[in-house]
Amino acid sequence: MSSGDSVEAVFREEHGRLLAALARRFGDLDLAEEVTSEAIEAALVRWPVDGVPPNPGAWLMTTARRKAVDRLRRDAVLATRLAVLRVEAERAAPPPAGDEFPDERLQLFFTCAHPALAAEDRITLTLRCLAGLTTPEVARAFLVPTATMAKRITRAKQRIRDARIPFRVPDPDELPDRLPVVLHVIYSIFTEGYAAKRADLADEAIRLARILRRLAPAEPEATGLLALLLLVHARRTPAAVPLAEQDRGTWDRDLIAEGAALVVEALTGGPPRFYAVQAAIAALHDEAPDLESTDWPQIVALYDVLMAIAPSPVVALNRAAAVAMRDGPAAGLALLDELADEPLLRGYHPYPASRADLLDRLGRRGEAVAAYRDALRLAGTDAERAFLTRRITAIEEAG
Amino acid sequence: MKYMLLINADGIDEQGGAAGCEPADWMAYDKQVRDAGILVASESLADLVTATRVRVAADGTRTVTDGPFAESREVLGGFYVIDVPDLDAALDWAARCPGSRDGSIVVRPVADFG
């Protein structure tokens, strides 16, 4: 524990844990955040002088707790209210006897992702409180001014306090209702990271998924989500670049191995589940040495499963692309044309881009270029536009 | 903490009751809420056609009008005020309310100025 980096790592690791424990103890997220920051500031002053204590986490917790108690003594009114709150909360929700949820961060997970909060607030709160991002960092991720984000976070925290959204892990019978929201929040953080080309956000999402899996090991979808994130992240290539164009040599083999092992676990026992099946598809892509030798029949079969458990036009689109690889471009195109009237695909650039690719492979170059131009108009990022422009140029030069 | 459950019925039958719910369903729910010891107040509102609106203008003139009439399909049919530890508990009780099946229940914390 000599370098500044490892102290930084302690703060990063302990921040979420401290915040969660204090929020649960005092029932107030604002207070918890303030004393967590103060404890870390105190450490920054003390540790270089006194040395890093043997148990840095415990030191931080003791310091933060003292600061919280001091603050409550100063604010007697708040203290009375919090005391009442605590007693009621204890009475209503006795701490679980077993230690199936040993970490209070899980309670904060479920608080930040409570369905009573607006969807975007769930993501921002999770990033702020559990991923330990600062308000300006969260603001940057959502491309809004810091002041706007600060207001939003304050409002969300106020809502938790005033509506009394509890700091607790749902009972086992409620978990199936609530866990999807938590998983979706982590998944959204990951895709947000990809869309904004913020590798750090994708890393945070993976870190959160790891924590969630460790805390809820009996939930196969927690495992499935982690597997999916690892297997997609292993490619480190923008999703805009199709698999055919990606350099498989740059893919991270360690992440792929870890993700693939988790997929097996997530698919073992019980019915197939959403994230696990998607992860299985990603694993088949990642493990194939090249596009042609990919196990397309198996991928089509997995898309069939996905259509059965979570049908959507986007899944149908991906399935059609896999069918094209298995049975040829004409078969894929026929399926795509069946989706032409789907309102959800109307503004979705992968749809015309997939059509363009199949038309090109069928030698229908004029139609292919027209479809690529449709896709170009709808594309949202520079990477996507650059790829589509390259395709149009390539076809025009070939013709 | 006190929460108000506002029962918005999706449709009203000729008797003014929420469509799709039997009186027995409401009686059973009412008994559950009472037996749980969380009931603060509860009323079922009379038919909407009996409602009267009062407005006082800046100059003090009072206007009384008939109504309000339902502009949307959902109308406030009644309420419960319950005292439970947190929002999740309030949401559970709202979900058990017969009115949530053919309409919706809006859950609002009662402001605490104490």
Side-chain angles (χ1 to χ4, degrees), chain A residues 12 15-16 19 29 33 108-109 111-113 119-143 149 152-153 182 184-193 196 198-208:
Chain A
R12 211 172 175 67
H15 182 274
L19 189 63
L29 200 43
E33 252 199 311
L108 195 52
F109 252 125
T111 308
C112 288
E120 54 181 16
D121 288 348
R122 294 177 208 151
I123 301 172
T124 54
L125 268 188
T126 304
L127 283 172
R128 179 77 191 85
C129 297
L130 279 150
L133 263 61
T134 63
T135 301
E137 282 172 335
V138 181
R140 250 200 323 279
F142 287 87
L143 308 171
M149 185 51 74
R152 241 167 73 185
I153 290 175
V182 175
H184 187 73
V185 167
I186 297 177
Y187 185 70
S188 304
I189 291 169
F190 183 79
T191 48
E192 187 73 41
R198 293 274 312 271
D200 54 333
L201 279 189
D203 287 339
E204 284 304 336
I206 289 176
R207 207 173 69 87
L208 294 172

Side-chain angles (χ1 to χ4, degrees), chain A residues 77 81 88-89 91-93 114-116 159 161-166 168 170 174 178, chain B residues 1-3 83-92 107-114:
Chain A
V77 179
R81 279 178 66 183
E88 280 183 21
R91 198 183 54 207
H114 199 282
R159 190 165 158 78
R161 192 175 52 237
D162 293 352
R164 201 176 295 172
I165 293 175
R168 69 177 185 102
E174 295 171 304
R178 295 286 167 89
Chain B
M1 175 138 154
K2 295 190 185 78
Y3 293 87
D83 194 349
V84 290
D86 58 41
L87 182 67
D88 280 356
L91 295 177
D92 285 345
V107 178
R108 298 197 46 185
V110 175
D112 173 13
F113 297 109

Side-chain angles (χ1 to χ4, degrees), chain A residues 169-182:
Chain A
V169 173
D171 299 334
D173 60 318
E174 295 171 304
L175 209 53
D177 275 351
R178 295 286 167 89
L179 191 66
V181 177
V182 175

Side-chain angles (χ1 to χ4, degrees), chain A residues 97-307:
Chain A
D99 59 353
E100 63 261 58
F101 297 116
D103 193 311
E104 284 165 314
R105 269 179 299 189
L106 193 59
Q107 293 167 334
L108 195 52
F109 252 125
F110 281 96
T111 308
C112 288
H114 199 282
L117 295 169
E120 54 181 16
D121 288 348
R122 294 177 208 151
I123 301 172
T124 54
L125 268 188
T126 304
L127 283 172
R128 179 77 191 85
C129 297
L130 279 150
L133 263 61
T134 63
T135 301
E137 282 172 335
V138 181
R140 250 200 323 279
F142 287 87
L143 308 171
V144 301
T146 301
T148 309
M149 185 51 74
K151 259 185 234 144
R152 241 167 73 185
I153 290 175
T154 306
R155 240 194 346 259
K157 282 195 286 199
Q158 197 178 349
R159 190 165 158 78
I160 289 177
R161 192 175 52 237
D162 293 352
R164 201 176 295 172
I165 293 175
F167 291 88
R168 69 177 185 102
V169 173
D171 299 334
D173 60 318
E174 295 171 304
L175 209 53
D177 275 351
R178 295 286 167 89
L179 191 66
V181 177
V182 175
L183 295 171
H184 187 73
V185 167
I186 297 177
Y187 185 70
S188 304
I189 291 169
F190 183 79
T191 48
E192 187 73 41
Y194 261 80
K197 291 222 216 100
R198 293 274 312 271
D200 54 333
L201 279 189
D203 287 339
E204 284 304 336
I206 289 176
R207 207 173 69 87
L208 294 172
R210 281 191 196 283
I211 296 173
L212 186 60
R213 172 179 138 74
R214 204 161 58 231
L215 299 176
E219 291 297 329
E221 275 294 72
T223 305
L225 178 69
L226 177 59
L228 176 62
L229 301 193
L230 293 174
L231 290 163
V232 173
H233 199 54
R235 295 181 208 147
R236 299 187 184 278
T237 321
V241 179
L243 286 164
E245 299 231 331
Q246 296 188 14
D247 176 3
R248 288 171 190 245
T250 63
W251 290 0
D252 186 325
R253 294 288 138 196
D254 290 342
L255 283 188
I256 292 173
E258 188 189 354
L262 290 171
V263 171
V264 174
E265 190 185 315
L267 285 174
T268 306
R273 294 174 176 87
F274 183 64
Y275 292 114
V277 174
Q278 286 198 82
I281 294 169
L284 286 172
H285 286 307
D286 284 7
E287 288 170 337
D290 52 52
L291 193 69
E292 287 69 34
S293 54
T294 306
D295 189 349
W296 294 108
Q298 180 71 14
I299 290 179
V300 173
L302 286 167
Y303 274 121
D304 289 340
V305 174
L306 215 46
M307 281 301 281

Side-chain angles (χ1 to χ4, degrees), chain B residues 25-114:
Chain B
D25 297 337
W26 286 101
M27 283 160 69
Y29 180 70
D30 203 68
K31 183 173 180 335
Q32 284 171 13
V33 172
R34 282 170 204 281
D35 290 351
I38 57 167
L39 181 70
V40 178
S42 137
E43 296 295 346
S44 174
L45 301 179
D47 193 333
L48 199 64
V49 298
T50 61
T52 312
R53 190 199 294 268
V54 181
R55 267 203 192 95
V56 178
D59 65 1
T61 37
R62 190 161 87 171
T63 320
V64 175
T65 47
D66 187 7
F69 298 103
E71 281 160 16
S72 65
R73 262 161 36 84
E74 292 207 331
V75 291
L76 181 61
F79 67 87
Y80 278 89
V81 177
I82 57 173
D83 194 349
V84 290
D86 58 41
L87 182 67
D88 280 356
L91 295 177
D92 285 345
W93 280 105
R96 289 157 78 171
C97 177
S100 65
R101 291 200 284 275
D102 275 283
S104 67
I105 312 290
V106 173
V107 178
R108 298 197 46 185
V110 175
D112 173 13
F113 297 109

